[in-house]
Amino acid sequence: MKRLAVLVSGGGSNLQALLDAIEGGGLPGAAIVLVLADRDCPALGRARASGIPTALVDRVKYVRNSDIFSDELLRRIDGASPVDLVVLAGFLSILKGAILGRFEDRIINVHPSLIPAFSGDGCWGIHVHERALASGVKVTGATVHLVDGVTDGGRILLQEAVPVLEGDSPASLQARVLEVEHRLVVQAARLFTESEE
Ligand code: GRF
């Protein structure tokens, strides 16, 4: 059984996609053993509804995106040890320091654009789609990538294109991209949970 820790900051729809996949047999051999948030958020409620242990390490109690903050996240993940894969599902803080080494090539993040487009500092949540619309692109999409020390910088694992339609608002574009994110995050998790080791 591969054990997943899922890090969240928001609505938790990507977490829900993972929960539904496990429930529906779409992610065999996987179990979510911890949902860890950096702020109080609806995603924690989704975890509790599924009986999954949760933890909250409030980012405002730490120097923003500091090593000490990441070390506390790592301590909580170690509390659910062993953890085979860390999934950043709508997680908005930046990981630094020891956690990156401990989970090298075992932390994945879903980002709502075709990285490197509309990625990096300041490109998160709805702002990604505002920038895509402002730039006039006809195609955007979603990416799942490995997490290293660079924001949205790790090796790309999966991508899927999403058309930008006439009259799209940031919200309508986000909703269309989110549907793809939900499929890709499950597909990416499967890359790890179905591997033999
Ligand atoms: C999504 O746009 C996701 O790409 C971004 O955070 C937003 C909310 O995700 N990382 P979720 O509903 O909390 O999973």
Side-chain angles (χ1 to χ4, degrees), residues 10-15 89-92 110-112 125 129 174 178 181-182:
S13 67
N14 282 285
L15 165 67
F91 188 67
L92 296 176
V110 62
H111 182 79
H129 308 293
Q174 178 176 49
L178 213 42
E181 290 177 54
H182 296 162

Side-chain angles (χ1 to χ4, degrees), residues 34-52:
L34 175 67
V35 172
L36 176 54
D38 64 355
R39 69 203 74 191
D40 192 17
C41 57
L44 289 173
R46 292 181 190 263
R48 292 186 195 111
S50 293
I52 293 173

Side-chain angles (χ1 to χ4, degrees), residues 127-161:
H127 304 302
V128 173
H129 308 293
E130 288 165 349
R131 294 192 186 192
L133 289 172
S135 71
V137 294
K138 299 303 178 195
V139 175
T140 185
T143 301
V144 181
H145 61 97
L146 289 174
V147 172
D148 60 14
V150 177
T151 305
D152 297 330
R155 179 160 60 88
I156 290 171
L157 298 178
L158 298 171
Q159 290 191 310
E160 184 173 321

